[in-house]
Amino acid sequence: LYTDIRDYTEAYNLAEEILSVVSSPFLLAEEQIFVGASIGIAIYPDDADSQESLTREARFQLMMREPQHKIHY
């Protein structure tokens, strides 16, 4: 949960930065490893009125994008 986001543009920019770092390959036991990720974005108070409902909305957004098997935010 990131608390300093003011709007969707900031959220998308942060998501892109996180995904860029996560998707960079790295070495583990001399093997190149690739990792993928998906990020669910929900912003208070636009998407929810409590931390619980905000987390639920972010999870919902994440689930809506996972079937496409691409990197999403």
Side-chain angles (χ1 to χ4, degrees), residues 33-50:
I33 306 296
F34 295 87
V35 177
S38 295
I39 297 175
I41 295 175
I43 295 179
Y44 173 87
D46 297 345
D47 297 318
D49 59 3
S50 70

Side-chain angles (χ1 to χ4, degrees), residues 9-41:
T9 300
E10 285 186 25
Y12 295 140
N13 289 340
L14 178 60
E16 286 180 349
E17 288 180 41
I18 292 169
L19 292 173
S20 175
V21 170
V22 170
S23 65
S24 297
F26 61 94
L27 289 178
L28 179 64
E30 298 182 26
E31 294 289 328
Q32 193 169 25
I33 306 296
F34 295 87
V35 177
S38 295
I39 297 175
I41 295 175

Side-chain angles (χ1 to χ4, degrees), residues 1 40 42 48 50-61:
L1 194 57
S50 70
Q51 183 174 343
E52 182 180 313
S53 59
L54 193 63
T55 301
R56 188 172 38 250
E57 178 64 20
R59 287 181 179 158
F60 174 76
Q61 293 300 324

